[in-house]
Amino acid sequence: MSDPRNGYEREHAREYERKYEKWSALMDRQALSEALTGDETSFCKHFAQEHPECTRELEVYAELSTLNDQPDDVSRALVDAALQRMEAEDTAPRVAEVRSLRDNRARVLAVASFALAAAAVFALYVRPSPKHSERSDTEELRGAQAVTLLRAELVYASGNVSVGGVAATVGRTLLAEGSLIETGNGAACVLIDPDINVCLAAQSRMRLSKLATRARRLDLLSGKASTRLATQPEGMSLSIVADGVASTAIGTAFSVERAPNGEGVVTTVLNGKVRVGREGQTQIVSAHERSTVSSARADLKPMSRSEEAPSWALLGPTALWHDPVSATINVHGEPMAAEALLDDQPIGMAPLSSLIPVGAHHLVVRNGSGQVLMERELHLVAGETQEITYAKLLETQVAFAPKPEALAKSSSHGTEQSAKLLTKEELQPAAKAEELVPARLSAAELLRDARKLMREGRFAEAGTTYETVRHDYPESEEAQTVLVSLGQMQLVQLKDPTRALGSLNAYLVRGGTLTQEARVLRIQALAALGRDADETSAIEEFLAKHPHSFETAALRARLSSLREEQ
Amino acid sequence: MHSVSNIPVDGAVAADLSLMRRVAGGDKHAQRVLAHRLAARVKRISRRLLRNGADAEDASQLALIEILRSAGTYKDISSIERWADRITVRTSLRHAREQRRKPWHFGGFIDAETVGVAPEETPSGQSTPRSVEEYLDELPAARREVLVMKHTLGYTTEEIAELTQNPVGTIKDRLVAARKQLRKVITRDMRLGAHGQEKK
């Protein structure tokens, strides 16, 4: 027989549940700004007073509605950090803006071109008075300047080159006014519209201080810069300013160098004329003359051809992008500072990034001893970017590598493989010709190198090495598995989920032992791209196929969160 | 006539307008004054909105910068605090969205060197009542955000809908769901004797 007290307690519990649900519903309605009746308000008040869980809930909401905004040490630190960050963003060249500028360039030019075309059509139909015509011409010139002066671009980077403190490569770097370009052990060239080439020597720093004005100004903060520019539109000039000394030219070639130890500014004029000096104290320097301006004196003397040669040499790479139908090559590998030769002509030190004319080329990379590290035939099409990796010689290869003089002979034979042209006498020691070219690294060795590059944080190079595995050993097992490592690196280190997704999708076509990992990475890539629906499907597929995976719990939570947001 | 409770009185309105004009004009001192006035509030709102402390810290810094840069848009139709709250909410939600889209990690595979560090262990056996932040940590991001906007910032469902770019109906559903989930956690804690131990 049942205890009547149990029945009473059950009834009491049911009554409590009913009232608690009523109280909860009324409180939720109130939270949605719905008005409660007097009875309902009274019920809520009395029920909450009698039940501690309700009291606690009201306490939590009371605490939630209170926001202590009294300053403390943490908020003071926040102020300092925010103000510093803001100042840094305001003064430093804005890389993000540069990227945005790049993205918008085509659109801006298209809009500007359209606007100019519209203006031209309008001009055909409207016959202005002479005065009006004068003003329109000026305005049109200004408009044209605003468009043409928009583009300043890094077209050559040899050695360690950075823009705004960020390592820079060609083809991806449009420069904004205020950009700071620094060179390490190589050189860098900037092409500024209309047709101004400025090349920086090693260990130099230059700021593009004013671009969007008639009087463009570049500040040479250290080192040396050479420039060659076409005749500029009337009223426009270019000045390179170093230590308060401005070298201003229209249609000429010249170099400016800050002498070491603050011993003045040296301007070497190669062509045309340049106005050099401080404000109010300038002199005209003609071709083949060199001016030295220091705080104590201003010298001017003629120059021999050999004295001019280093300044011309600095401008040597400009021939590479003389033809606007160009492609980009990025040459990198170990050891750094290896010399690159394109069609037998030295073009700079690696890592090297440069525009070059499209078509067939012969590229050789050699180390400081002149030994060939890599030799390759290139076939480039307009707009293409080709990544080229070389590797250092293995110890066993060093002994068999061709001597520099042997290379010189082989290079003169155009596109033939150098090793095939060498004679035994040219070898050191004698060896079979086929042993001379650095042995191609095996897939396993390339993977080992890629992992080492990853550890050193050289992700782009690691990516290129992974790609080399795919390219050189397309049928190998490594060529398949490397897609997962590549995808992971593209996603996590290079922050490029689109490319990561491509690598992972490619892996999953055939699949393999890393299918589960590839699926997880693919989910992450879809999340990074904000493709919520695709991510949801991918998680569902994963959970169906790998229900006991280590990642299942995390993925279920993620799925729940995604469904909630959808 | 101002309808919002924390609107300053006339003299203070003029002073605030003057301060904001100076900030917009690039006056460094004025920027610092405004930043100090709002920093604690910005930090606490971001922390309430975002579960991850590091994300909240980043978001509060970004929000403070955004407030200083947007000073020129301030109009005296609300207090500086209320105007800044909206910027803080928008910035924090945007930051949270960006963080959610970043790659997230599981246990180590493929290459242990590339995998992120394990999350800190949470202390166990606590018996003290939870803080509001701990309760909020129990909620999914979308519910948490709505709850904070409603109960901490006093926004209407329409305002929350506008800020989060969601339909009003969705906001109402999320608010009720958040309150129900919070209620469950509170009652569970009450039964367990605060947090961690079964009530005798």
Side-chain angles (χ1 to χ4, degrees):
Chain A
M1 201 169 159
S2 62
D3 186 342
R5 282 178 301 178
N6 289 345
Y8 172 77
E9 281 173 11
R10 274 201 298 276
E11 183 57 33
H12 185 72
R14 274 200 292 273
E15 176 66 8
Y16 163 78
E17 288 296 335
R18 194 182 58 75
K19 286 189 173 175
Y20 183 59
E21 275 176 26
K22 181 182 175 185
W23 179 84
S24 302
L26 288 172
M27 296 308 291
D28 291 346
R29 275 177 49 197
Q30 198 171 42
L32 290 170
S33 307
E34 288 182 31
L36 303 185
T37 65
D39 286 348
E40 287 169 337
T41 306
S42 172
F43 165 79
C44 287
K45 186 179 170 187
H46 289 110
F47 189 80
Q49 281 171 352
E50 291 164 8
H51 295 89
E53 57 274 29
C54 301
T55 312
R56 178 71 188 130
E57 184 176 323
L58 294 176
E59 282 171 3
V60 170
Y61 281 111
E63 202 182 332
L64 189 58
S65 66
T66 311
L67 195 70
N68 173 15
D69 57 4
Q70 292 306 304
D72 58 14
D73 286 345
V74 179
S75 68
R76 287 184 198 102
L78 170 63
V79 171
D80 291 339
L83 291 174
Q84 275 175 18
R85 184 168 172 175
M86 194 165 121
E87 197 172 337
E89 285 176 4
D90 286 345
T91 53
R94 294 191 183 171
V95 176
E97 278 185 15
V98 171
R99 289 183 182 144
S100 165
L101 182 65
R102 179 190 67 210
D103 295 341
N104 288 332
R105 181 181 62 171
R107 191 169 59 231
V108 169
L109 287 174
V111 170
S113 304
F114 178 78
L116 286 175
V121 171
F122 181 73
L124 285 174
Y125 287 92
V126 178
R127 186 175 298 212
S129 67
K131 201 172 178 180
H132 176 79
S133 172
E134 215 169 83
R135 193 176 65 243
S136 298
D137 289 346
T138 312
E139 283 166 2
E140 191 172 316
L141 177 63
R142 281 185 193 140
Q145 285 170 17
V147 174
T148 55
L149 291 177
L150 194 65
R151 189 170 61 171
E153 188 170 1
L154 185 73
V155 287
Y156 178 82
S158 167
N160 300 317
V161 175
S162 67
V163 175
V166 178
T169 52
V170 168
R172 297 170 192 164
T173 312
L174 276 181
L175 305 167
E177 195 169 77
S179 293
L180 177 68
I181 302 146
E182 293 181 78
T183 56
N185 56 352
C189 294
V190 175
L191 186 55
I192 303 168
D193 285 342
D195 206 9
I196 300 169
N197 287 282
V198 185
C199 291
L200 273 179
Q203 312 299 338
S204 301
R205 291 167 68 229
M206 185 176 72
R207 188 181 294 285
L208 309 183
S209 303
K210 288 183 182 173
L211 294 179
T213 62
R214 289 166 172 269
R216 283 147 302 167
R217 171 178 169 151
L218 313 178
D219 279 287
L220 183 67
L221 308 174
S222 65
K224 178 179 179 177
S226 278
T227 183
R228 177 161 61 192
L229 59 161
T231 303
Q232 297 295 292
E234 196 177 339
M236 295 168 77
S237 65
L238 174 84
S239 298
I240 297 182
V241 182
D243 203 16
V245 177
S247 302
T248 306
I250 301 170
T252 189
F254 65 99
S255 73
V256 178
E257 183 174 10
R258 291 176 73 123
N261 306 320
E263 289 168 3
V265 175
V266 180
T267 304
T268 302
V269 180
L270 307 169
N271 249 336
K273 290 183 178 179
V274 178
R275 190 170 59 246
V276 179
R278 300 181 196 280
E279 203 168 36
Q281 288 181 309
T282 59
Q283 60 179 340
I284 298 296
V285 183
S286 300
H288 319 305
E289 287 182 339
R290 176 171 283 170
S291 143
T292 305
V293 180
S294 67
S295 54
R297 62 194 172 91
D299 280 353
L300 188 65
K301 62 173 189 176
M303 272 186 311
S304 66
R305 288 177 190 277
S306 62
E307 285 176 307
E308 280 182 9
S311 297
W312 280 118
L314 190 54
L315 290 167
T318 59
L320 291 171
W321 53 86
H322 183 69
D323 185 347
V325 185
S326 60
T328 303
I329 54 166
N330 293 323
V331 183
H332 39 82
E334 276 193 60
M336 303 269 273
E339 185 184 29
L341 296 97
L342 188 76
D343 302 329
D344 303 335
Q345 296 297 318
I347 56 167
M349 253 185 299
L352 173 81
S353 181
S354 179
L355 293 181
I356 66 169
V358 298
H361 297 282
H362 181 64
L363 180 75
V364 173
V365 178
R366 61 188 186 190
N367 66 15
S369 309
Q371 292 161 327
V372 177
L373 302 173
M374 192 222 64
E375 190 167 15
R376 188 177 288 184
E377 301 303 323
L378 306 176
H379 298 276
L380 299 164
V381 296
E384 180 187 11
T385 298
Q386 201 161 112
E387 300 287 336
I388 298 154
T389 311
Y390 61 89
K392 64 184 171 188
L393 294 173
L394 301 174
E395 281 182 20
T396 51
Q397 294 171 323
V398 172
F400 298 108
K403 292 189 292 185
E405 54 272 30
L407 172 72
K409 179 175 177 181
S410 71
S411 296
S412 67
H413 287 72
T415 59
E416 291 286 321
Q417 290 286 314
S418 64
K420 290 175 185 168
L421 301 168
L422 299 171
T423 63
K424 283 185 179 178
E425 291 70 34
E426 290 164 339
L427 308 179
Q428 184 186 24
K432 290 180 183 175
E434 56 268 28
E435 289 178 304
L436 297 173
V437 176
R440 202 172 59 158
L441 295 177
S442 69
E445 286 169 332
L446 284 168
L447 284 181
R448 184 201 58 206
D449 285 355
R451 278 196 290 273
K452 182 170 178 286
L453 290 167
M454 289 280 288
R455 277 198 297 276
E456 292 168 0
R458 293 156 64 184
F459 303 119
E461 290 166 62
T464 308
T465 310
Y466 283 135
E467 301 277 15
T468 307
V469 176
R470 301 263 310 146
H471 179 267
D472 290 355
Y473 302 94
E475 301 305 319
S476 67
E477 184 63 24
E478 285 86 352
Q480 171 72 355
T481 54
V482 83
L483 284 167
V484 183
S485 304
L486 189 61
Q488 185 182 36
M489 191 196 67
Q490 287 163 338
L491 178 66
V492 179
Q493 275 83 26
L494 300 181
K495 317 284 185 213
D496 189 346
T498 306
R499 281 175 64 203
L501 196 59
S503 301
L504 296 161
N505 283 340
Y507 178 85
L508 289 167
V509 169
R510 261 174 60 192
T513 52
L514 294 174
T515 296
Q516 192 172 318
E517 287 77 8
R519 285 203 171 111
V520 171
L521 286 167
R522 183 169 178 273
I523 291 166
Q524 293 176 342
L526 291 168
L529 289 167
R531 289 167 55 179
D532 292 353
D534 292 333
E535 188 192 351
T536 303
S537 306
I539 295 176
E540 286 167 347
E541 182 193 16
F542 183 93
L543 293 174
K545 291 188 171 160
H546 311 283
H548 307 298
S549 163
F550 177 70
E551 287 87 17
T552 299
L555 282 171
R556 283 197 197 287
R558 173 70 181 164
L559 187 61
S560 158
S561 166
L562 277 168
R563 284 175 176 158
E564 217 169 73
E565 285 179 19
Q566 282 165 8
Chain B
M1 185 91 182
H2 300 299
S3 58
V4 182
S5 61
N6 56 348
I7 295 296
V9 292
D10 290 347
V13 170
D16 280 355
L17 264 178
S18 163
L19 172 66
M20 297 304 271
R21 283 191 191 123
R22 283 165 53 210
V23 172
D27 181 330
K28 300 281 181 201
H29 177 68
Q31 286 178 349
R32 190 163 276 279
V33 168
L34 181 66
H36 273 295
R37 173 168 160 183
L38 297 173
R41 188 176 181 88
V42 166
K43 179 180 70 104
R44 292 190 175 100
I45 292 173
S46 293
R47 183 65 189 90
R48 286 225 172 139
L49 285 167
L50 307 185
R51 181 177 187 161
N52 182 298
D55 286 349
E57 207 172 296
D58 283 348
S60 50
Q61 208 179 99
L62 291 170
L64 204 53
I65 292 171
E66 190 63 33
I67 288 165
L68 294 173
R69 289 210 167 117
S70 307
T73 67
Y74 172 74
K75 294 181 177 63
D76 61 340
I77 51 172
S78 67
S79 72
I80 288 178
E81 280 73 13
R82 211 164 162 76
W83 169 82
D85 286 352
R86 289 177 73 85
I87 294 177
T88 305
V89 169
R90 279 208 176 95
T91 309
S92 298
L93 296 184
R94 189 169 57 235
H95 187 69
R97 269 199 305 275
E98 287 167 3
Q99 295 310 304
R100 282 203 285 271
R101 285 181 178 173
K102 281 189 175 173
W104 33 284
H105 302 282
F106 302 107
F109 61 86
I110 304 172
D111 188 345
E113 286 153 352
T114 64
V115 176
V117 293
E120 288 175 23
E121 286 187 12
T122 49
S124 59
Q126 291 178 7
S127 57
T128 53
R130 295 174 191 240
S131 68
V132 165
E133 277 72 24
E134 284 176 297
Y135 279 120
L136 292 175
D137 285 348
E138 296 275 342
L139 305 177
R143 290 182 188 174
R144 175 188 184 125
E145 289 162 5
V146 171
L147 202 69
V148 170
M149 281 188 262
K150 176 71 193 176
H151 291 285
T152 300
L153 300 169
Y155 291 157
T156 63
T157 46
E158 287 75 14
E159 283 176 307
I160 300 170
E162 184 230 319
L163 279 164
T164 59
Q165 297 180 330
N166 279 300
V168 173
T170 304
I171 299 304
K172 286 182 176 177
D173 288 347
R174 282 184 188 169
L175 182 61
V176 173
R179 287 178 59 90
K180 282 184 174 159
Q181 193 171 345
L182 189 60
R183 189 171 293 131
K184 267 189 187 170
V185 178
I186 291 170
T187 50
R188 189 189 68 199
D189 277 0
M190 296 291 287
R191 288 193 192 109
L192 289 172
H195 180 198
Q197 290 174 331
E198 188 75 42
K199 199 175 185 178
K200 303 288 179 193

